[in-house]
Amino acid sequence: MADNPKKKFLYVNRKAPYGTIYALESLEVVLIGAAFEQDVALAFLDDGVFQIAEGQNATGIGMKTFAKTYRALGDEVRKLYVERESLSERGLSLEDLMPIVYEDENEDYVQKPSIHLVDRAELARLIGDSDVVLSF
């Protein structure tokens, strides 16, 4: 019997974190996929870059802030791709994003960043290389 390689799942996040259910639903689906050991990656573009911005507080709009849950992805989801142009267009930089890391077991559990800045062309390639793309 031949090995059945894992399918690559890419979850594309384009919406702001609050005001719709898209961001929270995406995060929940990613957590479920990671629990079932899927090859999971996330992409943040357009207003989706705000989902992982540092210092979020949604109490003023009567919602619970869920952004810190991205840090719980830790060792299960190591590939968070952020489109450089979307950050720039919104006046943000890598330093404005939450520090999301994983521990690399191949290097004595050194913490490494999970966030990878990519340009639009690279993001298009990542989407094309994925087996399953879900957009939120």
Side-chain angles (χ1 to χ4, degrees), residues 9-13 26 29-30 33 38 40-44 132 134 136:
F9 286 78
L10 179 64
Y11 297 88
V12 178
N13 296 279
S26 171
V29 172
V30 166
Q38 294 176 346
V40 174
L42 292 120
F44 298 90
V132 179
L134 297 169
F136 291 87

Side-chain angles (χ1 to χ4, degrees), residues 46 49-50 83-92 120:
D46 301 332
V49 298
F50 290 117
E83 186 188 70
R84 182 177 282 114
E85 292 88 345
S86 290
L87 277 179
S88 178
E89 290 164 0
R90 285 151 184 83
L92 299 174
R120 285 194 171 130

Side-chain angles (χ1 to χ4, degrees), residues 56-89:
Q56 295 180 36
N57 185 344
T59 57
I61 59 172
M63 294 185 72
K64 187 174 182 179
T65 304
F66 63 87
K68 291 183 181 178
T69 307
Y70 285 106
R71 290 186 178 141
L73 298 175
D75 296 330
E76 304 303 321
V77 182
R78 300 176 178 191
K79 298 175 284 188
L80 281 69
Y81 300 105
V82 178
E83 186 188 70
R84 182 177 282 114
E85 292 88 345
S86 290
L87 277 179
S88 178
E89 290 164 0

Side-chain angles (χ1 to χ4, degrees):
M1 183 186 272
D3 287 332
N4 189 8
K6 288 184 188 180
K7 288 188 176 187
K8 293 180 187 176
F9 286 78
L10 179 64
Y11 297 88
V12 178
N13 296 279
R14 307 180 123 207
K15 306 286 186 189
Y18 306 101
T20 69
I21 190 109
Y22 292 109
L24 183 56
E25 288 293 318
S26 171
L27 182 56
E28 288 178 353
V29 172
V30 166
L31 289 168
I32 292 167
F36 284 98
E37 299 180 2
Q38 294 176 346
D39 182 359
V40 174
L42 292 120
F44 298 90
L45 62 149
D46 301 332
D47 286 343
V49 298
F50 290 117
Q51 292 180 27
I52 55 174
E54 183 72 273
Q56 295 180 36
N57 185 344
T59 57
I61 59 172
M63 294 185 72
K64 187 174 182 179
T65 304
F66 63 87
K68 291 183 181 178
T69 307
Y70 285 106
R71 290 186 178 141
L73 298 175
D75 296 330
E76 304 303 321
V77 182
R78 300 176 178 191
K79 298 175 284 188
L80 281 69
Y81 300 105
V82 178
E83 186 188 70
R84 182 177 282 114
E85 292 88 345
S86 290
L87 277 179
S88 178
E89 290 164 0
R90 285 151 184 83
L92 299 174
S93 68
L94 181 61
E95 291 74 31
D96 295 310
L97 304 180
M98 290 184 288
I100 302 172
V101 299
Y102 70 95
E103 292 180 346
D104 189 338
E105 65 274 3
N106 295 321
E107 294 186 25
D108 290 329
Y109 298 93
V110 171
Q111 287 191 339
K112 293 187 175 181
S114 297
I115 295 175
H116 308 280
L117 287 181
V118 296
D119 61 24
R120 285 194 171 130
E122 177 67 6
L123 186 56
R125 187 193 65 74
L126 290 166
I127 291 170
D129 288 346
S130 298
D131 297 307
V132 179
V133 178
L134 297 169
S135 183
F136 291 87

